[in-house]
Every structure is written in C-alpha cells, then in structure tokens.
C-alpha cells in the first residue's frame, strides 16, 4: 500500500478518536454550562413557577406576598395563647399548653428539635451543638453561646415564653417562626420540657417495667 | 480506470521504466484487493462509531449528570449538611409538605451568619441580599421539563430518601446533578421502588443503609404503608 494512503487512513482513524475522547471526558466531568438541548419541545414554558424571577414586578420575584393589611381566610390568628403564647388580652405568657400534649406530639417535637434547634443547642439541649463547637473554635467575638435549655432559667420560663422565643427569637438567638409552623413550635416546647425532666430525673420516674434494664 | 487500447509504439517516458519492461496493460496493484474488505470494515465500523457517538452525545450522562453551575455564593453542603450536621429540612423547609423543596431565604443564612463569619468576603452577597431584600440569584441545577409534574411531598412521605434522587449531597462542596432525571429513570423506580424505601424518619439521613437486603425491608415497608407508585402517563403528565 502506498505510504500516503496509509498515512491518510491513520490520520482519519486517529481523528475519529478525538470526538470520542471529548464525549468520554464530558461524561465523566463536572459541567458548568447547562444541558445542550437540540429540540426544546415544551421544556421551558412561558409561566412563572415557585421561586422564579419575574421582571414584571419591581422586586423581580414571581411569588407575591399578600398586600399589607389583608388577612387570608383562616389566618386571622386571633387566639393569643395558641399563636403568641400569651394570656388573652395581656402580655403575660401562658403557663399551660394551649394544645393537648400527646406522646405522638412528643416524638414530633423530638424530630423537629433535632432539625431546628440541635445544630446550636445540641441534641441533649446542653447548648453545645456542632455549630457552637465550630463557632467557639473560630473565636470571632461575635458569637454568643446558646443557653443550656435544661438550666434553671429555662425551667422557670413559662411555656408561652419558650414558644415566643422560638417564634420571635430572643437577644442573640434568631427567630424560628418563619421556618417552623405553630403546631410544631408547641411540640418543640413540650420536648424541651421533656429534656429538662430527663436531666433532673431520678430512678423513681422510670416506669417499673423498664427500671430493671437501666439498673443492670 | 484502465485504458482499453494501448498504443504499442508509444514512446514511454523515462518516468515509467517498469511499465516498458514488463507489460503495457494497467494492472491494479495487489493492495487494491484490500479495498473490498476495507470498505466492509469501514462501513460497519463507521456505523458503530456513529451510533456510539450519537448515544454518547445525547445520553443524560453527557450534559445533565454532573451539571454543577457556578453559584453566586460559594455555599458548601459538605460543610453545612455534612460537617455541621444540619438537617436538610432546616433549610429546605417545604420538602415534606409541598411539591417543591424550595431554597432557603437569605434570612435562614443570617440565622447564623449574623454572628458567624460576619466579615467574610465569601458572604458579601448574602449580607447584601439581607440588606436590600433582593433574593440571592441561585442557579437552578435539577430542572425537569415544564410538562412533567413532580412532587417532593409524595415521595418523602412514602419514605424515599433524598439520597436516592440527589446522591451524596452531604459530601458535595458544589451541588451537582447525580442522577439522569429521565423518564426511564423515574419509571425504573416506580416499577420497583422496594430497594429505595426506608423508614420515614430517615429520609434525610444521607448515610443510612439497612441491615440486610434493602429490597426485603422495602417490601415490608411497602406493604405496611400501602405504597404503590403509578406508571400511568397521567401521574407525571397532567
């Protein structure tokens, strides 16, 4: 076979490996550009979706807030005790739960506490969650250590006060109202009370059936 | 092409000495025989090549999987959800109850960053957003076509973990799409969800693995909670 033809063939074969190599590389690496779409179909329709941009509104957000001074149906929140943890018509905090405390609610409270409070206050409520550990190590001077939830200060707080702390925050603690709905806030308050009890409990508080397993 | 008639008396030039000594007929050199096999090989090879290339280019691995756009803030899930152990639902609050998982508002970041790393250059965009009230322009990563209906709540409440559809987010410094999100992928699980089911309180646990065969536990959970993912077109196209 004449040399030039051989060379041309070799070059063609070698060149054909280049696109393959590029595809291989693209399949096995991170991409910062979005998917290439040859045919768009109806993938991106002219409509506004959750958390998207919309240039029509001055603030650029597609999702709208209800206008000032309006209340949606069922959102009047007139019950002071339930929604604000306060005695009706007063600024005093309620001492008893405005909702029924059940064991189901306790488990819910435990789960929610571990999601929203444990990063700072720790799973046992001792005030030494992983975020506190990290922030303390950074020693920037702006961080306040979270309160020990089993300490006397919080034991003495009425349940309505703890509810209000969750809803609106307190001093250096941010408000968790926007992240946690009302029923879950009360569930967390109940669980905080349980943590306080468990910290200061004696063996007599444990049901007789399981007491033996602890004393082993 | 070989000439039909050859002029015997033609004076051959000095540039073709062999021709004059052997024969005047044009004879294909021997290697030309290879053309027949060569063409067959080239045709089959070319076809395979084109098919492989096209499937390669148009498969989801090519462009959808591994998509990790540059975000306006160098926020890291590996740090927050991994090292600091913050639960997914701390930020993606709506994931259990609505179709959308939703990204956290700037206020959620400020819960901590009002007092942690307050001077950090990397958080300048977050502080600016908190001041102006304009949301941080996060770039969307997972994006189904608009004609597909998807619902997070339905999956989370059936005990499908985030990790099944988003991969090991708790190890990603930059979020990237880990699964193809094609119709075939959705259907694979809808036809046989058992290996992907877990107890409902463990949906956000990124490292949980069942003791024993996941399919066995899955089958049990499935019977217990009556989970029957549908493969009707109208489930996802409505």
């Amino acid at each position: 076979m004449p040399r030039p033809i051989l060379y041309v063939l070799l070059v063609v074969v070698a060149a054909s490996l280049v696109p393959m190599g590029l595809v291989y590389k693209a399949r096995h690496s991170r991409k910062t550009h979005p998917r290439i779409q040859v045919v768009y179909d109806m993938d991106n329709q002219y409509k506004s979706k959750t958390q998207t941009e919309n240039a029509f509104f001055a603030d650029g957000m597609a999702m709208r807030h209800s206008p000032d001074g309006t209340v949606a149906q069922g959102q009047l929140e007139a019950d002071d005790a339930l929604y604000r943890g306060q005695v009706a018509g007063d600024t005093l905090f309620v001492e008893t739960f405005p909702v029924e405390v059940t064991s189901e609610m306790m488990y819910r409270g435990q789960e929610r506490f571990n999601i929203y409070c444990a990063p700072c206050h720790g799973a046992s409520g001792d005030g030494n969650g992983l975020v506190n550990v990290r922030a303390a190590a950074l020693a920037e001077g702006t961080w306040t250590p979270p309160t020990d939830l089993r300490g006397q200060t919080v034991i003495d707080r009425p349940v309505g006060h703890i509810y209000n702390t969750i809803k609106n925050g307190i001093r250096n603690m941010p408000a968790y109202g926007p992240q946690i709905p009302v029923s879950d806030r009360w569930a967390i308050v109940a669980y905080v009370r349980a943590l306080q009890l468990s910290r200061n409990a004696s063996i007599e508080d444990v049901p007789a059936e399981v007491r033996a397993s602890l004393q082993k | 092409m070989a000439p039909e008639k050859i002029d015997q008396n033609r004076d051959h030039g000095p540039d073709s000495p062999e021709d004059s000594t052997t024969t005047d007929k044009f004879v294909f050199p021997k290697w030309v025989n290879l053309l027949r096999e060569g063409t067959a090989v080239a045709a089959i090879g070319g076809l395979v090549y084109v098919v492989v290339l096209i499937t390669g280019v148009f498969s989801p691995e090519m462009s959808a999987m591994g998509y990790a756009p540059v975000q306006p803030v160098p926020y890291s899930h590996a740090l927050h959800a991994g090292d600091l152990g913050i639960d997914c639902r701390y930020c993606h609050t709506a994931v259990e109850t609505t179709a959308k998982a939703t990204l956290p508002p700037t206020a959620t970041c400020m819960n901590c960053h009002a007092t942690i790393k307050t001077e950090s250059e990397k958080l300048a965009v977050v502080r600016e957003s908190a001041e102006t009230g304009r949301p941080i322009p996060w770039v969307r990563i997972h994006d189904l076509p608009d004609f597909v209906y998807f619902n997070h709540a339905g999956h989370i409440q059936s005990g499908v973990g985030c990790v099944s559809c988003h991969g090991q987010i708790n190890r990603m410094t930059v979020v990237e799409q880990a699964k193809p999100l094609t119709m075939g992928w959705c259907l694979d699980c809808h036809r046989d969800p058992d290996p992907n089911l877990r107890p409902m309180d463990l949906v956000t646990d990124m490292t949980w693995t069942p003791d024993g065969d996941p399919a066995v536990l899955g089958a049990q959970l499935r019977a217990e909670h009556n989970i029957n993912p549908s493969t009707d077109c109208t489930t996802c196209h409505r």
Side-chain angles (χ1 to χ4, degrees):
Chain A
M1 192 188 290
R3 282 295 156 96
I5 297 187
L6 194 65
Y7 289 149
V8 167
L9 274 180
L10 284 177
V11 168
V12 167
V13 170
S16 72
L17 292 178
V18 173
M20 283 294 191
L22 288 177
V23 169
Y24 183 83
K25 182 168 167 279
R27 288 168 69 100
H28 293 273
S29 61
R30 280 218 187 130
K31 286 130 300 224
T32 49
H33 53 82
R35 170 153 75 130
I36 307 157
Q37 280 166 298
V38 185
V39 185
Y40 265 87
D41 294 334
M42 290 168 75
D43 284 7
N44 294 298
Q45 298 164 16
Y46 193 71
K47 64 183 179 187
S48 288
K49 298 190 294 176
T50 318
Q51 295 192 315
T52 51
E53 241 179 307
N54 191 328
F56 179 77
F57 297 106
D59 60 8
M61 289 184 257
M63 290 164 77
R64 311 309 305 156
H65 293 286
S66 44
D68 287 344
T70 59
V71 175
Q73 275 191 25
Q75 292 182 6
L76 182 58
E77 307 195 341
D79 187 340
D80 277 332
L82 181 62
Y83 291 104
R84 282 168 284 281
Q86 285 169 341
V87 178
D90 204 336
T91 51
L92 283 175
F93 290 106
V94 291
E95 303 272 353
T96 52
F97 283 89
V99 287
E100 199 195 336
V101 180
T102 58
S103 71
E104 204 177 296
M105 173 191 181
M106 265 317 180
Y107 283 116
R108 176 83 184 169
Q110 177 179 38
E111 185 189 57
R112 298 292 119 174
F113 182 91
N114 288 339
I115 296 172
Y116 297 107
C117 316
C120 293
H121 287 281
S124 64
D126 61 359
N128 199 18
L130 288 173
V131 170
N132 181 55
V133 173
R134 193 89 170 212
L138 286 173
E140 291 175 311
T142 41
W143 174 255
T144 320
T147 314
D148 182 348
L149 297 181
R150 306 157 317 173
Q152 201 55 44
T153 348
V154 186
I155 291 179
D156 292 343
R157 299 283 192 208
V159 287
H161 188 278
I162 302 178
Y163 173 90
N164 184 66
T165 303
I166 298 175
K167 179 168 183 257
N168 298 318
I170 188 165
R171 300 184 303 272
N172 286 300
M173 177 177 143
Y176 278 83
Q179 273 155 278
I180 311 176
V182 175
S183 61
D184 285 348
R185 292 176 210 160
W186 284 114
I188 292 173
V189 176
Y191 184 66
V192 168
R193 282 286 189 247
L195 284 176
Q196 294 168 349
L197 275 180
S198 71
R199 165 75 179 194
N200 305 306
S202 69
I203 194 72
E204 271 67 51
D205 297 327
V206 181
E209 318 80 271
V210 284
R211 213 176 281 169
S213 68
L214 286 179
Q215 279 169 331
K216 245 188 277 173
Chain B
M1 206 184 284
E4 272 167 29
K5 246 173 141 192
I6 292 152
D7 182 1
Q8 301 281 334
N9 305 320
R10 223 180 98 196
D11 176 34
H12 293 287
D15 48 333
S16 52
E18 313 101 14
D19 281 33
S20 58
T21 50
T22 53
T23 168
D24 278 294
K25 272 197 181 162
F26 177 86
V27 174
F28 281 110
K30 232 190 175 141
W31 63 266
V32 171
N33 285 344
L34 285 174
L35 277 182
R36 203 175 48 194
E37 287 85 357
T39 320
V41 168
I44 296 171
L47 200 66
V48 171
Y49 180 81
V50 168
V51 169
V52 170
L53 194 68
I54 288 181
T55 36
V57 167
F58 289 100
S59 68
E61 285 89 352
M62 171 76 183
S63 55
M65 284 166 78
Y67 175 44
V70 179
Q71 299 288 355
V73 180
Y75 168 78
S76 160
H77 279 80
L79 171 65
H80 292 83
D83 297 352
L84 295 174
I86 308 175
D87 193 283
C88 312
R89 292 166 287 187
Y90 182 99
C91 290
H92 304 294
T93 46
V95 72
E96 291 167 298
T97 46
T98 68
K100 293 282 168 185
T102 67
L103 296 191
T106 307
T108 305
C109 310
M110 293 310 277
N111 279 351
C112 292
H113 289 295
T115 47
I116 296 173
K117 294 265 181 190
T118 48
E119 306 290 316
S120 172
E121 199 49 43
K122 293 184 191 162
L123 286 158
V125 175
V126 178
R127 286 192 299 269
E128 192 197 297
S129 161
E131 262 161 44
T132 60
R134 280 201 158 256
I136 303 170
W138 300 113
V139 184
R140 191 172 184 101
I141 303 154
H142 300 78
D143 197 3
L144 290 174
D146 287 359
F147 55 79
V148 180
Y149 173 83
F150 177 78
N151 189 326
H152 272 96
H155 290 91
I156 304 306
Q157 286 168 9
S158 301
V160 183
C162 313
V163 71
S164 298
C165 302
H166 292 300
Q168 291 282 343
I169 295 273
N170 60 329
R171 300 218 193 104
M172 297 181 191
T173 22
V174 181
V175 180
E176 65 176 71
Q177 185 174 326
K179 303 285 159 143
L181 303 193
T182 54
M183 179 162 141
W185 173 78
C186 306
L187 288 174
D188 277 348
C189 181
H190 276 215
R191 291 202 183 103
D192 177 27
D194 295 357
N196 291 303
L197 296 179
R198 50 172 78 197
M200 273 156 222
D201 50 340
L202 293 169
V203 280
T204 55
D205 192 327
M206 308 301 280
T207 49
W208 179 84
T209 43
D211 324 318
D213 190 357
V216 174
L217 176 73
Q220 201 180 319
L221 288 166
R222 194 173 165 191
E224 206 174 299
H225 300 289
N226 191 22
I227 295 165
N228 287 304
S230 149
T231 48
D232 293 346
C233 313
T234 47
T235 312
C236 309
H237 306 294
R238 34 177 103 173

